[in-house]
Amino acid sequence: MINKEVISTLVVLSLMMIGGVNSLSLSADQGTSQQKELEIYLKNAKVADIEKGGLGGRNEPWRIFLDDGKTQRRAIFKYIDRPERRLNPVSYKREIAAYELTKLFKMEIVPPVLERKIREFTGSLQIMVEGCINENERKVRKLEPPDAEAFEKAIEEINVFDNFTFCLPDPKDILIHKDTWQVCRVDFMEAFDTLVEFLPGTTISRCSRRLYQGLKQDAKVIEAAMKPYLTAKEIKALLDRKALILDKLTGLIKEKGEDAVLFDIKS
Amino acid sequence: MRTSPKKSFSLFFGILFLLILTAILIPPDLLKAASRQCIWEGVEKIIAIGDLHGDYDHFVTILKNEDINLVAEKDNKLHWIGGKTHLVQIGDVMDRGDKARDIFDLIKTLEKEAEKAGGQVHMLIGNHEEINILERVFEYGEDYINVEQFKSFLSESYKKRKEREFKKRTEDGGDINTEWKNLMKTDDGQREYYDNFNLYYGRWIAENHNAVIKINNTVFVHGGINEKYSAMPLQDINNLYFLEFQKWYRGESFRPKILFDQEGPLWFRYLATWDEQAYSSKVNQILANLGAKQIVIAHTPKIQDLPYRFGYKVWLVDTGISNAYRRDGGFLSALIIENGNRPDRWRLEY
């Protein structure tokens, strides 16, 4: 896990929230042009400098300074890959898995990340974009979003995504752009647990339409997209949680009506 | 009124029965954990030292310095001369440097001698001790563990066998150091390191040391304490570490509550990084929960900064004491708290 307090002052891409998703046959290759552009950058830009230890945290991520000759950007590099260890299994691959899921669902809530080798380690390299504050800090500073409803929806969408990926909620992992108030979620190293249940202490009461549609996708599509990054057990649990969440949402829709449960996220 | 011999006899056996029942029902781990002291009152002088990261020489330089004066050399050995002073080493003896084992050996001696003299040596558990005990230090590569530390915790027989093997292999060229580095990357080398480290040092650390202590009105902890943990009695925090380490050593699979917790006392970093204005009420709440006036932390190197934050409420003692921090301008330091006065930082350039 990275030191979000530091990162939140640096991070996040200018998220382009896309509206409702209709297609049920998306592929993991898809993604917006901005995502693709950043992926190419992450893949090809030269490593100009590496700062180790500056971010702190148990998984000791490195801050990477990238330069493609035109633009300098910062990125986060994580390299620990121990999904099978007895206590606190972690893997950098889960960062990529989470990003690929959001691409599949056409939700730009995770900053672009891909696998790359830096020095002796292969790991995940995730773009950092400037100008963010984390949710914890927002509360301490008592900052209110200009559009409270939109902000609440974004947080609720992250709550469902956290339940799907079994990523324990941490307000420091929710990054909010200081100017646009667009929201994203980082740090999935410890997500994708093999438990099939709702996250403790969370309640699903609403969901964005795009995530709901994404969850309704064929399990095989999700399985194929996750295969390079997750173990078979983790994929099975992910798909079982997908069914669990869909059951919950279907029940809520029956009870309260679709408009009370599903909402659109404005771009 | 005198009790009849028959009644005394029944009472004696009744109490004996209860004691035996208690001993059977309460797990020995819990009894051992609960019996370890973590709060002291009425201590006149406290000296706190931050992350050492394998730098035995710098540690000894601090302890022997005339301003600190806690150890002296006699018969080629270092001995406690600190009397009733409490020395608090706030964790992270290991990694980055070469001589963590020598530091542990010295601390083992000083712990006994200080106690006899009416003082105390408290070595707190740091996150680097935790990642060695939990067998994950090699995941971080050579930035954390170098060849010298690796070799120092191997068994003598294994080390000699490997030395012979590497000598033979490099007779016609090659580098013995590279051979050791390669061994560090193998399952065999790592298994030997972890087994031997845990047998002689890891268990000693986990079973006999606290993560957080309070002396007079000051709390000492490696990383920091967040609001959640500050609401727990210190004894409960230390017991939780103890019990989870025991589960680890027993080979149990479990979901740890405190081990490797990013927000836990060994990893929590925000007391060193939070904005002082925005978070002052949070820090006040933490201290109120702890019933403390101030908290002393290590973990987050603060080399160029003042040694305190939040109006003298949070004190930082990781000044890059280890030679591994030479490039960053690290210096030797200790925090001296005497007669309830405001802490005073002692420093020495290297």
Side-chain angles (χ1 to χ4, degrees):
Chain A
M1 198 178 282
I2 51 180
N3 185 333
K4 294 103 203 172
E5 213 70 43
V6 177
I7 291 167
S8 65
T9 58
L10 303 168
V11 178
V12 161
L13 73 167
S14 52
L15 294 165
M16 293 166 60
M17 300 297 185
I18 293 171
V21 177
N22 296 316
S23 169
L24 298 182
S25 57
L26 300 170
S27 100
D29 295 332
Q30 287 183 308
T32 65
S33 57
Q34 191 184 21
Q35 283 176 323
K36 281 178 187 164
E37 198 182 299
L38 285 168
E39 283 178 27
I40 291 166
Y41 182 86
L42 285 169
K43 193 177 173 186
N44 299 323
K46 279 187 182 167
V47 174
D49 201 4
I50 297 173
E51 186 191 331
K52 296 178 182 178
L55 296 167
R58 295 165 299 173
N59 300 313
E60 191 73 357
W62 300 351
R63 185 184 281 134
I64 307 291
F65 297 82
L66 297 169
D67 190 347
D68 70 348
K70 293 179 211 155
T71 323
Q72 289 93 41
R73 286 180 188 273
R74 286 181 278 203
I76 301 275
F77 182 68
K78 299 181 184 180
Y79 53 85
I80 295 177
D81 182 26
R82 293 291 165 104
E84 305 286 358
R85 74 178 174 200
R86 183 151 56 97
L87 301 187
N88 314 94
V90 295
S91 173
Y92 73 82
K93 291 179 181 170
R94 295 171 182 173
E95 299 285 1
I96 309 169
Y99 173 59
E100 290 297 333
L101 279 174
T102 60
K103 269 167 69 184
L104 196 61
F105 295 179
K106 291 198 170 176
M107 303 160 44
E108 291 182 73
I109 61 166
V110 175
V113 52
L114 46 71
E115 190 174 80
R116 187 167 161 176
K117 189 171 181 181
I118 295 179
R119 297 211 173 147
E120 73 269 38
F121 296 108
T122 299
S124 63
L125 187 65
Q126 184 164 44
I127 203 80
M128 292 173 67
V129 188
E130 316 299 326
C132 281
I133 189 170
N134 70 45
E135 174 61 354
N136 205 35
E137 217 177 339
R138 182 192 74 80
K139 284 179 181 165
V140 169
R141 291 176 190 275
K142 297 184 173 73
L143 300 173
E144 291 305 323
D147 184 344
E149 195 193 338
F151 183 74
E152 197 184 314
K153 284 177 178 175
I155 297 293
E156 289 199 69
E157 183 182 61
I158 285 174
N159 174 47
V160 181
F161 192 68
D162 281 352
N163 271 277
F164 177 44
T165 56
F166 212 88
C167 192
L168 290 172
D170 184 343
K172 291 191 292 302
D173 291 332
I174 294 175
L175 304 175
I176 305 149
H177 196 278
K178 282 181 196 166
D179 298 329
T180 63
W181 280 82
Q182 286 173 312
V183 177
C184 77
R185 175 71 157 103
V186 293
D187 203 355
F188 292 86
M189 281 279 275
E190 294 174 34
F192 297 100
D193 202 302
T194 50
L195 289 175
V196 182
E197 57 189 55
F198 294 111
L199 281 172
T202 68
T203 311
I204 293 177
S205 53
R206 296 202 301 166
C207 181
S208 67
R209 277 201 174 78
R210 61 186 186 181
L211 179 50
Y212 180 65
Q213 294 297 337
L215 290 169
K216 282 170 78 177
Q217 281 189 61
D218 190 336
K220 282 178 185 164
V221 177
I222 296 174
E223 189 180 355
M226 293 296 98
K227 222 169 181 177
Y229 312 109
L230 301 181
T231 65
K233 275 184 193 171
E234 287 165 350
I235 294 173
K236 187 181 180 308
L238 180 75
L239 296 174
D240 289 347
R241 284 195 301 269
K242 162 179 146 17
L244 190 70
I245 294 167
L246 278 174
D247 275 357
K248 170 84 179 175
L249 289 170
T250 308
L252 284 169
I253 290 167
K254 266 187 193 166
E255 186 190 325
K256 298 178 177 177
E258 188 175 316
D259 288 343
V261 179
L262 301 183
F263 54 81
D264 292 319
I265 294 231
K266 287 177 198 163
S267 55
Chain B
M1 197 171 69
R2 293 185 67 184
T3 316
S4 71
K6 201 176 171 182
K7 271 189 178 170
S8 299
F9 187 77
S10 307
L11 192 67
F12 172 77
F13 279 99
I15 292 168
L16 189 67
F17 175 73
L18 282 174
L19 285 173
I20 292 169
L21 196 68
T22 309
I24 292 168
L25 292 178
I26 300 177
D29 285 353
L30 197 60
L31 281 175
K32 192 174 178 186
S35 66
R36 198 169 58 221
Q37 189 176 353
C38 62
I39 296 172
W40 288 263
E41 297 282 351
V43 177
E44 283 179 13
K45 189 174 182 184
I46 309 160
I47 293 177
I49 299 176
D51 304 38
L52 297 171
H53 287 304
D55 202 322
Y56 173 81
D57 297 336
H58 284 179
F59 183 44
V60 171
T61 302
I62 297 170
L63 297 178
K64 283 168 79 174
N65 185 280
E66 58 184 11
D67 296 329
I68 305 296
N69 212 27
L70 290 179
V71 301
E73 205 167 311
K74 192 182 170 192
D75 306 326
N76 287 326
K77 282 184 180 169
L78 292 167
H79 296 282
W80 179 259
I81 56 162
K84 292 180 179 173
T85 302
H86 282 225
L87 166 65
V88 188
Q89 195 289 315
I90 313 186
D92 276 10
V93 165
M94 304 191 75
D95 301 337
R96 303 193 197 280
D98 297 350
K99 293 181 182 167
R101 184 176 172 159
D102 292 345
I103 299 173
F104 286 142
D105 289 341
L106 176 60
I107 286 174
K108 279 183 181 182
T109 302
L110 297 180
E111 281 177 344
K112 288 176 195 154
E113 293 183 351
E115 196 169 3
K116 274 186 191 165
Q120 288 280 334
V121 172
H122 311 277
M123 185 188 76
L124 304 186
I125 303 169
N127 61 304
H128 280 263
E129 282 70 60
E130 186 186 48
I131 60 173
N132 276 273
I133 291 169
L134 299 182
E135 302 184 357
R136 52 189 69 172
V137 69
F138 291 102
E139 293 170 11
Y140 301 91
E142 287 176 36
D143 287 342
Y144 274 25
I145 179 163
N146 61 30
V147 166
E148 291 310 315
Q149 177 175 309
F150 173 66
K151 283 164 72 177
S152 74
F153 286 110
L154 300 176
S155 67
E156 280 308 308
S157 57
Y158 181 87
K159 199 159 59 184
K160 278 181 185 161
R161 183 154 52 86
K162 287 294 166 189
E163 270 165 4
R164 279 199 300 272
E165 203 179 302
F166 295 158
K167 210 173 170 186
K168 206 172 175 185
R169 206 182 292 166
T170 53
E171 268 171 2
D172 302 324
D175 173 32
I176 286 190
N177 204 47
T178 308
E179 295 287 342
W180 282 109
K181 279 187 179 181
N182 290 338
L183 180 66
M184 281 168 63
K185 291 173 189 160
T186 65
D187 288 347
D188 176 53
Q190 292 182 7
R191 186 73 268 140
E192 170 67 20
Y193 171 90
Y194 286 135
D195 286 350
N196 209 53
F197 163 74
N198 271 313
L199 185 60
Y200 294 104
Y201 295 92
R203 278 183 177 272
W204 166 71
I205 296 164
E207 291 172 0
N208 299 285
H209 295 87
N210 289 308
V212 52
I213 61 171
K214 187 175 162 199
I215 306 176
N216 303 336
N217 54 14
T218 307
V219 165
F220 299 85
V221 62
H222 180 68
I225 298 266
N226 70 1
E227 250 180 315
K228 181 185 118 183
Y229 285 107
S230 72
M232 285 170 69
L234 299 191
Q235 187 80 60
D236 289 1
I237 297 175
N238 290 315
N239 286 351
L240 201 50
Y241 274 110
F242 180 90
L243 294 172
E244 291 196 349
F245 277 132
Q246 289 305 305
K247 283 184 183 179
W248 164 257
Y249 282 127
R250 284 198 296 265
E252 289 178 28
S253 283
F254 65 103
R255 284 176 193 279
K257 287 182 181 149
I258 200 163
L259 289 182
F260 220 57
D261 179 2
Q262 179 76 30
E263 299 282 308
L266 308 191
W267 293 91
F268 188 68
R269 204 180 276 280
Y270 296 114
L271 292 177
T273 60
W274 271 340
D275 178 272
E276 292 188 54
Q277 211 176 353
Y279 286 84
S280 66
S281 60
K282 212 175 249 292
V283 169
N284 288 341
Q285 187 58 56
I286 288 168
L287 286 172
N289 289 348
L290 292 167
K293 183 183 170 190
Q294 59 211 0
I295 184 165
V296 180
I297 58 167
H299 188 51
T300 307
K302 288 285 178 185
I303 293 167
Q304 310 300 337
D305 307 74
L306 288 170
Y308 53 81
R309 307 188 79 225
F310 295 99
Y312 308 106
K313 288 172 187 162
V314 175
W315 290 81
L316 309 124
V317 293
D318 182 359
T319 61
I321 290 170
S322 170
N323 198 39
Y325 287 92
R326 180 179 284 275
R327 274 188 314 177
D328 303 317
F331 57 90
L332 311 191
S333 72
L335 199 68
I336 304 169
I337 310 174
E338 210 163 0
N339 299 318
N341 295 329
R342 181 179 290 167
D344 185 25
R345 180 155 84 179
W346 168 90
R347 66 180 284 167
L348 183 71
E349 306 302 327
Y350 66 84

